[in-house]
Every structure is written in structure tokens, then in C-alpha cells.
Amino acid sequence: MAIVRAASNAIHALAVGAARRSLQVALIFGLAFPAAAQVDPRVIEQLQGRLQGTQDAGAQVDQAREQSGRITLPSNTELTSEERELRRQQSRIQLNSLYLPSPVERQYRERLGDPSLRQFGYDLFRVSEGGSGPVTGEVSDGYVLGPGDELVVTFQGATNTSQSARVARDGRLIVGSLPPIRAAGRTLGSVRTSLSQATRQNLLGTDVFVSLGGVRSATVLVGGEVERPGQYQVTALSDVANAIALAGGVRKAGSLRNIRLVRGGVTRTVDLYGLLGIGTASRIRVQDGDRIVVPVVGNTVAVTGSVARPGIYEIQGSASVSDVIAYAGGALYPRGYQISISRIGDDGREIFVRPQGTAAAIWSGDGVQVLSGSAGAAFDRVMLAGHVRNPGARALAAVPTLADLIGGPEDLQLGTYMPMAIIIRRNALTGMRTYEAADLRSALDRSRPVALRGDDRVYVFSAEDIAFLNSSATRQIILGQDNPKPQCYALEKLQSLVADTQSPRFNVITRGTITVEREGRDVAASAGRALTGAGTSGSNESLEAVRTRPLQEVERMDRAAARTRGESDRDQQYDRNEIEESDAEKLARKNRECPAVFEDVPELLPVLIEHSVSVGGAVRRPGAYPVAGSISADALVSASDGVMANVRDPVLDITPAGGPFTRYEMAQGQEDRLANVLVSAGDDIRITANNAAYEAGAVLLTGEFNSPGLYTIRKGERLSELIARAGGLTDQAYPYGGVFTRRSVREQQQEGFQRTARELNTSLLALAAQENVNGQSIIAAGDLIKTLSETEAVGRMVVEADPRVLAQRPDLDPILDGGDTLHIPKKPTYVLALGDVSNPGAVQFQPGKSVSEYVSEVGGTQSTADDGRVFLVLPNGSAQPVRSSFWRRSNVVVPPGSTIIVPKNLQPLRTLGIVRDVATIFGQLATAVASIAILADRNN
């Protein structure tokens, strides 16, 4: 019962939401709610407020819900560490695109053919400039004090005080009553010891604690090959690298290994490679008056190839091959590599030298290439990649066949696609790559072993990879439409290939696809859903309804269909107007939407497509399935998750790419025949079956049934049969007021609303161009058209729901459809009189009362009422007008639960000459309006 109650509440919410929007149109003409079993006075007040020009309270609630449902992100959201790293990577990519190589870099790049070579170490000063900010952390006792340094001295014991003392220009330090101490030129540790001795001698029972409070500043001159030569203020704790960073760093023309520090006429050499992990880091603190000179870069050598850190390195003195390879982080392969040196001879010509061992000497300007046999010509190994447990390289001698490489079926991951794998291998004659298909099933059982060759790359695919092949994005690209996923590199490559070749090699993907126009766009909708027979959702909608359905609804249905193929995570799209994705979220979504195997090797996608067989009909996952050579129809049907369980008497239809059509019966017990039926790439197979015995959707019964709830229905089942299954109606049931809704009717009514709005809009535009047209009338008509176009239909059908009548009149017994709903209310005891009346509301029902008597009980009509267009909405949903000239003397029977509607005068619209057009929608809206109160109160 909990499931039934939840389904009832869900359908109730949808019906009331649609009915509320229909009400907004109805109220323009004075229409209102019909009677129900219970009428809330607040509903009547709400309707009359709308008639007086105020906003409908229901519309206010809808608006509040829409606003609260929107997801907004704060503009100043703090970035995560992953997002910051991603932005740094993007910034590096942009900087690399703007990078201008130095003359040294250009020369080595041209010689060695490596466009990525750069001079090593110069990025040391790129991230941030040095500075003389506040001193933090512990200062060692080896720090040499000088004039301007400040010490914090704290006494504890008999004397408790703390004071700061600065080293004077004469080098002495004076602390309180202690005698002066010589501090300049001494280390912090020795001064601390002297202060401890003086304290013990002069302040009995007192301990002293000394720390460095402030560091003196120093003025240094930085010149040579730096970005901003000049004089800079630094602290005494700064070293040569800090001073150079303040000057903007070293230019590419400057040296990092021969920097000169001139102090008191003595020159020292500083090597910054020690800070970069090459050699020993030497930190020399600067002093006041120091001069730092960066000379022109010295001898250089380039290292490229199979090394960890290719680059251009500066060398000091002599160096060997092993030294410069160590500069580059070492060879990627510790053994088996070869070395080739590009050297400029004495005559200026380039020669190539193959050294004997790594101890050979290096000349200035050499280009060292580390060549690995595995990287350049991997003839003794094979590579396994894709949807496997243990990807990677194997020795060809150990795995001569595909079965040896993969192992057994137990070594495959769950969801591996068995009919086809791809082997990329090198053509011995042309040297080009070739793509060969392999059947994993026959290869693993060794019925058709597949021999491997050196440098082969084997790619195994998953069921999700095949689902991506059948995705709507791939179909749209094959049809020549725009790529809906430009973030997928594989789809970009496929789009370029389709546009360049215009070849039918990919048509197998689009055989089960129909293209319809929606909102000015051609959208590919796959067959097997709304427009197909067996194995479909059971929808009876027309092709016109499919064409006119809003594009957002179509995309939602396509995603829902994608979930049945296991690809919903990849085909989900987000509304960029409501949710702004972060960079990290975009990267994560790209990984979900674009399979990694196709992003790494985008050429695999078109190869799979052209080796595919089209599978359709009553299978669980229709689509295109790649095969290697010939494969049995039984295996291919299994790959599509098999025949659906609810089909009867299936038939296999095969249309070969080059041959006659063939049909195979699949009666119960004869399924093994499919194992002997072979198909190959380009063929088309379809499982044709009779429709299922049951409708795809259930029917919901609510209200005065003995056993209300959700009921599955057989095809062709009638309403009277379902009512009997539900135990019949209760004694309080009022079948004449039953509300019967159907999805297809709602779609047709919605289409009618939209068509009427378009026709009215066309008429209004023509009238607006005429002279002597009332502007207020144009505005009123425009508001009508806008509201009508936004109205959602209820989908109510006027049916006979009384079992006794149905038993006597079988021709009135409707055939049920999946998704139908029927609500039977209790018998009401009143009649509603609403619209342009003095006191709208509910009055007690009395048999024999006429329309005029009920209107008189609510105070009669107002002066603005249109007496000529009074409507009587009957409880079953039908509406009938009451004749204008004599409605007050009408003998129309008014049953309980009816609604009398007195509309306003349409004089503003009458001047436009479109009153006749407007009147045609009264009948459409009356049935919808009559359903609102009943649906709204059925859960009370």
C-alpha cells in the first residue's frame, strides 16, 4: 500500500500542477473550479482574487518553488587544492604556447630535432621574486652579528625584566646595568655565552635568555646578465640567490654556475646548480657592500632522448657522458640503451660520434642523445591495454598468442566485450600502422588462435565502451550534425573523418535512427522506443507529437533510454545557466563522458564502427556491435543482453550486406539454431516478436474503489474489467463525477493549446498592422496568448465510469492504456457558481433547481458579466453552454457536483474580431477546469 500511496501522490502532484496552469487561462474568461466532494472556501477566495486582477496564490507558490529549486553557487567560492592545481596546469599550457626560445635553445632544437629542449634551471626565479620580508623560524648560533642587529634579552630570577638591545656602530652591545660586550663580528652563540657570564657576575640568582629580535639590513649591488640590474636592500640572512631573485632572476644568456661575489676586493664563485639538485648547495650570506655579478653563460651541452629530464645544461671544466646523463636525471632504461653525440667539429661541420662507454669526455656544444631500443623499435615485446586486469608490456617469447597474453576468461574484468578486440601492428612493408580485429571468444578457447608479432598492441574493450559507440552523440556525428560533446577528443576526430571522407562505412550506426526537426534543430532519435513495435515502451504517440515535443523533453527521454543501455553517467548534461561547474568538476565529468581508451587512441572508434553489425528489435540493448570476421547470431544476441523475456514467438530477420533477406523461426526449444547462423560486419539482424501480453505501464485507481491502487493491465483490457478486479465501487461512489486521464490525450491537448496560441498570435500580428485598433485590446489579447501558450493540459477524457451502464452499453467501455488514471469521488451535495457573480461559492444541491436559481442564490450576475456565454460544467467533465436569450428560464438539469461559470464580457477582444477564435478554446478548457478541484481534494 505504501507503493500505491506514493504513486498516487506523484500522479496527483503532476495532475494538479498541470491543472493549475490550465486554470490561469480559464480565469481570463471567468472560468473556475468545478465542484468536488469537499470545497475549501479559501479556494473560492483565491479564484475571485484572480478575477479581480490579483495574482493567483497558486502561481505565487509555483514561482517560489521554481526560485528555490534553482541551484546557485556563490561567486567567491574558495577553490580546492585540485582546482588550484588544474588552473596552474592550464596557466603553464598558455605560457608554453607563448614561450620564445633563446638563441642557445634554438640552436640545439634544430640540431637534435627536439622542440621541447630548454635551458635548465632558469625557472628557479619564475614562481616568485625574492624579498626581505619578516624573519621567521629559528636562527642558528652560527649567525654572525653586526651593527644594527637587535637582541631580546630576558632576565628571570631575582631580577625579572626583558629588554631589547641593538648592536651599536662601534660593535658593542649594552644591556641594562651589565658592562658593555663586544658583539660585532661574533656569532650569536658566543654573545649568548658572554651575557650569561656577565649576568652571573653582576646579578646574583638571575638567569638570562637571549634571542635575535631584528636583523640588520644590507645593501648589495647586482649586475650582469640579470633582468633588473641595480642596488637592492636585503637582510643579513639573505644569500646570493635571494639577491638575484630581487633583480628578477638570471637571463637565458647568463650563467648559473659561475656567479661572482665580490667582497672587500676578494672574488668568490657561486654555483646555483647546487640549489637544483646537481652538486652540493653552497649558501653564502651577503653582507653590506657586496657586489654580485652574473657573467655570460659558459659551456653548454644538451641531453635528449630516453632520459628523465631532457634539457640544456651548463658544464664547469671537464665532464663525461655519465656526468651529463646524471644531470638529466639518468636514463629511463638503466641498461641496453645507446648513446649518440652530435658534435660540431673544428671545421664547423656537424658530426655524429658513438662513444665507447659513458666515461668518454664531453665537448662544449655537444648534443647527447640517449637511444633506447625498447622505445624506438620494440620488436621483442607486445603491449596489452584497455579493459583488462593487468595491462602492460610482455615479452613476445613468453606470450606468442593472444590467449597466452590475456590468459583465461577468469583473467578478464567483469563487463568485457568478447566479440572483438583490436590489434594495432606495424606493416612490415610500409611501416604504417594497421588495425586487425580479433575474436576474444575463439582466441581464448584456442579454436581460432591469434598469433602475435613484435611491437603489437592489443586493446580489449568493455560493454561501456560499446555503449559509447551507440550513444546519441556518436549517432549525431555520423548523421553530419554538430558534435554535442566537444570535450571528447575521439568524437572531434570522428567528426573530422566523417566530414572529410563522406563515406558510407559508418552507416551501420544510423540504420536504427530517425532524424526529426525540433526547435529548428535536427535531432537523432534511435529506433526501438516511441516509434517502434515490439520491445518498446508501448507509447501510441504520433510522429507529429514526437516532432513537436519540446527539445528539452526529447533530450530527457534520450538520457532515460541511455540509462537502459548503461551509459547514463556519460550522457548526462547539466544546465550551464543554473550550475556553474568548477574546473575540477569539468575534468571529472570529461573522464566519465569520454572513455579513456578512445581518448588515448581515437582511431579505435571508427575502426569499431566499420566492423559492426546492426542489432535491433526485441533485444535488451539494440545498437551496433563490432565483430571480428564471422560470428554466430546467437553470440551477437547475447552481446546485446539477449532477447527480452516478455516477447512471444520471436523471429530472426537477417539482411546481409550483400545477399538476400533470410528469416529464421525461433520457436521455444529451437534457440540453438541461431548458433549455426553466421553474420559479419555490415549485416543487419532484427528480432521481430509479437507484442507483449501486458501494457508497458500500469493504471492507477484512486477514490471510492473497494481496492484502489496500481494495476497492471493486459492489452485490450477494458475499464469495466479493471473495476471488477478492483472489487467494484463503494456505496458512496459517484461514478458520474469520475476523472479519467490519459497521457496521449494530454499531449494532444497540449499540442492543441500551442497550435491555438500560434494561430491567435498570427491573427493578432495582422490586426496590429491595421489602423484604428485599440491598444488596450492588443495588450489584453497578447496576455491571453502568452497565458495560453504556457498552459499545461490535464489530459482528461469524458468516459462512462458506472459499471452498471457499461454492462448495458459495452460500446461505451473504453480500452485502457498504460499510464491511465481514474479517480472516483464521493457524491457531492452542492453546486458551485463561480465567475462574474456577486458572491461566488458553493450552494446546496436541490433536485429540480435551474441554473438561474443557483445564480440567484449567489447574488446574481454583475454588470460586467457576459450573459450570452454562461457555461455549465457537468461532473463527468463535459461542458455545455446555456442559451444566451433564455438561460434564466432554461430547464437544463443541474446534477450535484456541477459548476456554473459566468464569464466576463469579452468586449476588449470583440473589437479585434477574434472573439470567434477565442470562443473555440472554451470547450477545450472547460474539461480541464472541471478536473482541478476533484484531483486536488482526492487525498483529503
Side-chain angles (χ1 to χ4, degrees):
M1 290 303 294
I3 297 177
V4 174
R5 189 179 301 109
S8 175
N9 292 338
I11 297 178
H12 160 65
L14 292 174
V16 172
R20 183 184 292 114
R21 293 174 179 85
S22 299
L23 172 66
Q24 295 175 3
V25 178
L27 290 177
I28 293 180
F29 308 104
L31 301 182
F33 282 121
Q38 299 292 333
V39 177
D40 191 342
R42 292 174 296 180
V43 175
I44 300 176
E45 295 177 1
Q46 173 182 319
L47 300 181
Q48 286 304 116
R50 176 63 171 138
L51 290 173
Q52 296 300 324
T54 59
Q55 185 181 15
D56 181 20
Q60 295 177 357
V61 173
D62 287 343
Q63 183 178 0
R65 286 175 178 171
E66 291 176 0
Q67 293 177 353
S68 62
R70 295 193 181 98
I71 301 175
T72 56
L73 300 179
S75 58
N76 56 349
T77 304
E78 184 177 355
L79 298 178
T80 64
S81 58
E82 292 82 1
E83 292 171 337
R84 288 194 295 269
E85 177 61 25
L86 181 60
R87 293 193 175 185
R88 281 194 290 268
Q89 294 288 352
Q90 294 173 341
S91 299
R92 293 190 186 101
I93 294 175
Q94 294 176 355
L95 289 175
N96 289 336
S97 64
L98 301 174
Y99 182 79
L100 296 177
S102 67
V104 175
E105 292 171 340
R106 286 197 297 269
Q107 189 265 343
Y108 278 114
R109 289 183 179 188
E110 293 174 0
R111 281 173 51 195
L112 302 178
D114 187 351
S116 64
L117 281 177
R118 292 190 181 186
Q119 290 178 258
F120 173 75
Y122 292 87
D123 292 340
L124 175 65
F125 307 100
R126 177 192 293 181
V127 178
S128 61
E129 298 181 354
S132 54
V135 179
T136 59
E138 181 182 3
V139 179
S140 66
D141 287 345
Y143 174 72
V144 178
L145 296 174
D149 285 332
E150 184 181 29
L151 298 179
V152 178
V153 183
T154 303
F155 298 100
Q156 292 184 356
T159 301
N160 291 290
T161 185
S162 178
Q163 64 183 64
S164 299
R166 189 178 299 275
V167 179
R169 291 186 178 276
D170 59 1
R172 294 189 304 171
L173 180 68
I174 301 175
V175 181
S177 59
L178 297 181
I181 298 173
R182 187 71 182 178
R186 298 177 58 188
T187 64
L188 177 61
S190 65
V191 172
R192 183 182 287 114
T193 301
S194 299
L195 284 174
S196 298
Q197 294 175 354
T199 300
R200 286 195 298 270
Q201 295 174 0
N202 296 276
L203 301 174
L204 299 179
T206 302
D207 297 325
V208 65
F209 302 92
V210 182
S211 62
L212 186 64
V215 181
R216 68 184 183 276
S217 61
T219 301
V220 296
L221 179 65
V222 183
E225 296 298 325
V226 293
E227 294 294 339
R228 296 187 299 271
Q231 192 171 349
Y232 293 92
Q233 288 281 344
V234 296
T235 68
L237 292 176
S238 301
D239 58 13
V240 174
N242 298 133
I244 293 177
L246 278 176
V250 181
R251 298 193 188 116
K252 292 292 183 70
S255 173
L256 295 179
R257 310 203 65 179
N258 297 299
I259 298 174
R260 296 195 296 270
L261 174 64
V262 182
R263 179 180 298 165
V266 178
T267 302
R268 301 177 62 180
T269 301
V270 179
D271 184 2
L272 293 184
Y273 267 28
L275 300 177
L276 301 170
I278 298 178
T280 304
S282 59
R283 185 176 185 184
I284 301 176
R285 289 194 174 96
V286 297
Q287 295 182 8
D288 190 48
D290 284 350
R291 287 180 296 164
I292 301 173
V293 180
V294 179
V296 177
V297 65
N299 297 330
T300 59
V301 61
V303 184
T304 185
S306 298
V307 291
R309 188 173 56 198
I312 302 171
Y313 298 88
E314 186 178 359
I315 57 177
Q316 285 182 321
S318 61
S320 64
V321 173
S322 61
D323 292 334
V324 297
I325 293 178
Y327 290 170
L332 296 179
Y333 299 87
R335 290 169 294 278
Y337 59 84
Q338 298 179 357
I339 298 174
S340 175
I341 300 177
S342 169
R343 178 170 294 170
I344 304 300
D346 295 336
D347 57 356
R349 294 183 178 182
E350 181 183 16
I351 60 175
F352 289 90
V353 179
R354 188 175 295 274
Q356 301 297 322
T358 58
I362 288 294
W363 292 12
S364 174
D366 280 354
V368 180
Q369 295 176 292
V370 180
L371 307 175
S372 173
S374 296
F379 293 113
D380 295 329
R381 69 169 186 177
V382 293
M383 184 74 69
L384 179 62
H387 193 68
V388 293
R389 294 185 186 277
N390 300 304
R394 310 284 195 277
L396 178 61
V399 289
T401 66
L402 183 58
D404 297 324
L405 176 63
I406 296 178
E410 65 277 1
D411 296 316
L412 295 173
Q413 291 195 53
L414 186 65
T416 300
Y417 182 73
M418 301 295 291
M420 180 174 172
I422 292 181
I423 303 175
I424 301 180
R425 56 180 34 152
R426 184 195 305 261
N427 187 294
L429 296 178
T430 63
M432 302 293 290
R433 290 191 302 179
T434 61
Y435 302 87
E436 298 187 9
D439 186 350
L440 284 182
R441 301 176 62 173
S442 60
L444 293 182
D445 63 17
R446 300 183 185 274
S447 60
R448 285 189 292 178
V450 178
L452 298 178
R453 304 175 188 172
D455 200 23
D456 278 355
R457 293 177 176 267
V458 180
Y459 289 89
V460 179
F461 303 97
S462 66
E464 292 187 353
D465 298 333
I466 306 304
F468 177 79
L469 181 145
N470 288 289
S471 65
S472 60
T474 307
R475 293 196 304 268
Q476 292 182 34
I477 291 175
I478 300 302
L479 290 172
Q481 301 172 11
D482 293 336
N483 180 12
K485 294 183 178 180
Q487 70 274 20
C488 292
Y489 179 60
L491 293 181
E492 288 289 303
K493 295 283 288 185
L494 178 63
Q495 186 178 29
S496 300
L497 184 61
V498 170
D500 294 341
T501 61
Q502 298 293 325
S503 172
R505 58 187 286 208
F506 306 129
N507 290 351
V508 66
I509 291 291
T510 57
R511 287 179 187 170
T513 303
I514 184 171
T515 304
V516 294
E517 183 178 353
R518 300 186 182 96
E519 300 183 6
R521 288 174 49 187
D522 288 338
V523 180
S526 62
R529 294 181 184 86
L531 305 180
T532 58
T536 67
S537 61
S539 174
N540 294 326
E541 61 184 343
S542 63
L543 180 60
E544 179 64 23
V546 175
R547 285 197 186 98
T548 56
R549 180 184 289 123
L551 183 61
Q552 295 81 359
E553 176 68 12
V554 173
E555 294 174 347
R556 182 194 65 78
M557 290 182 60
D558 194 60
R559 291 196 297 269
R563 285 194 288 272
T564 65
R565 301 195 304 271
E567 62 176 346
S568 60
D569 289 341
R570 293 182 302 279
D571 280 352
Q572 284 184 345
Q573 299 293 326
Y574 300 92
D575 188 352
R576 299 301 189 275
N577 296 328
E578 294 185 357
I579 302 178
E580 292 184 1
E581 292 180 307
S582 65
D583 293 335
E585 290 172 338
K586 290 179 181 177
L587 181 61
R589 183 168 58 83
K590 181 181 184 299
N591 294 334
R592 292 194 305 268
E593 294 178 348
C594 312
V597 64
F598 297 137
E599 293 298 286
D600 295 339
V601 188
E603 294 81 4
L604 294 175
L605 183 59
V607 173
L608 288 175
I609 294 176
E610 66 176 326
H611 282 81
S612 295
V613 175
S614 177
V615 181
V619 293
R620 292 187 174 91
R621 294 203 306 175
Y625 289 87
V627 298
S630 297
I631 188 174
S632 68
D634 178 60
L636 204 55
V637 171
S638 298
S640 62
D641 285 352
V643 180
M644 293 188 299
N646 61 342
V647 300
R648 298 177 298 171
D649 303 327
V651 175
L652 174 64
D653 295 335
I654 298 181
T655 306
F661 167 82
T662 309
R663 168 165 289 189
Y664 297 88
E665 300 291 339
M666 297 174 56
Q668 186 174 4
Q670 299 182 9
E671 292 83 357
D672 295 340
R673 296 180 57 190
L674 298 183
N676 300 321
V677 179
L678 298 180
V679 295
S680 56
D683 292 350
D684 184 278
I685 70 174
R686 177 180 178 83
I687 304 296
T688 303
N690 295 328
N691 289 335
Y694 289 91
E695 290 285 354
V699 173
L700 177 64
L701 301 181
T702 59
E704 296 303 310
F705 293 93
N706 287 317
S707 298
L710 277 172
Y711 287 85
T712 58
I713 57 172
R714 300 179 64 87
K715 288 188 177 295
E717 186 168 357
R718 296 184 178 273
L719 178 60
S720 61
E721 298 173 342
L722 184 60
I723 294 176
R725 289 170 54 194
L729 305 179
T730 65
D731 296 338
Q732 300 179 354
Y734 188 51
Y736 188 54
V739 179
F740 185 91
T741 64
R742 175 165 291 178
R743 182 174 57 243
S744 59
V745 174
R746 179 172 64 250
E747 293 171 352
Q748 294 173 8
Q749 290 177 351
Q750 191 69 51
E751 181 183 350
F753 289 163
Q754 298 295 331
R755 183 170 55 252
T756 302
R758 290 194 299 268
E759 293 173 355
L760 288 175
N761 190 54
T762 302
S763 301
L764 186 63
L765 291 175
L767 291 172
Q770 300 178 4
E771 297 181 357
N772 301 324
V773 177
N774 190 341
Q776 295 298 326
S777 301
I778 294 291
I779 295 175
D783 293 339
L784 164 65
I785 295 172
K786 179 180 178 182
T787 308
L788 181 62
S789 63
E790 297 174 352
T791 300
E792 293 186 12
V794 178
R796 182 176 183 180
M797 290 176 54
V798 179
V799 299
E800 179 58 61
D802 193 336
R804 297 168 297 182
V805 177
L806 295 177
Q808 299 295 326
R809 293 285 306 276
D811 56 306
L812 299 180
D813 199 356
I815 297 177
L816 299 175
D817 196 1
D820 290 347
T821 66
L822 175 59
H823 176 74
I824 301 296
K826 294 181 180 180
K827 185 174 183 179
T829 59
Y830 49 81
V831 173
L832 280 178
L834 299 176
D836 210 16
V837 294
S838 299
N839 186 25
V843 296
Q844 185 175 5
F845 168 76
Q846 293 183 13
K849 267 191 177 182
S850 65
V851 173
S852 60
E853 291 173 326
Y854 284 115
V855 173
S856 298
E857 290 192 23
V858 295
T861 61
Q862 297 190 24
S863 59
T864 57
D866 188 351
D867 294 346
R869 299 188 183 276
V870 177
F871 273 80
L872 176 65
V873 183
L874 300 176
N876 67 345
S878 61
Q880 64 183 51
V882 181
R883 294 298 179 182
S884 58
S885 60
F886 56 90
W887 70 270
R888 295 184 183 275
R889 302 182 301 277
S890 175
N891 294 324
V892 175
V893 178
V894 182
S898 299
T899 301
I900 301 170
I901 300 173
V902 180
K904 284 183 177 296
N905 196 335
L906 298 178
Q907 185 60 35
L909 299 180
R910 193 183 307 277
T911 61
L912 297 178
I914 61 173
V915 173
R916 182 184 301 273
D917 297 331
V918 173
T920 59
I921 68 175
F922 280 158
Q924 302 174 14
L925 295 176
T927 301
V929 171
S931 309
I932 297 176
I934 299 176
L935 293 175
D937 283 344
R938 68 181 180 184
N939 286 341
N940 292 343

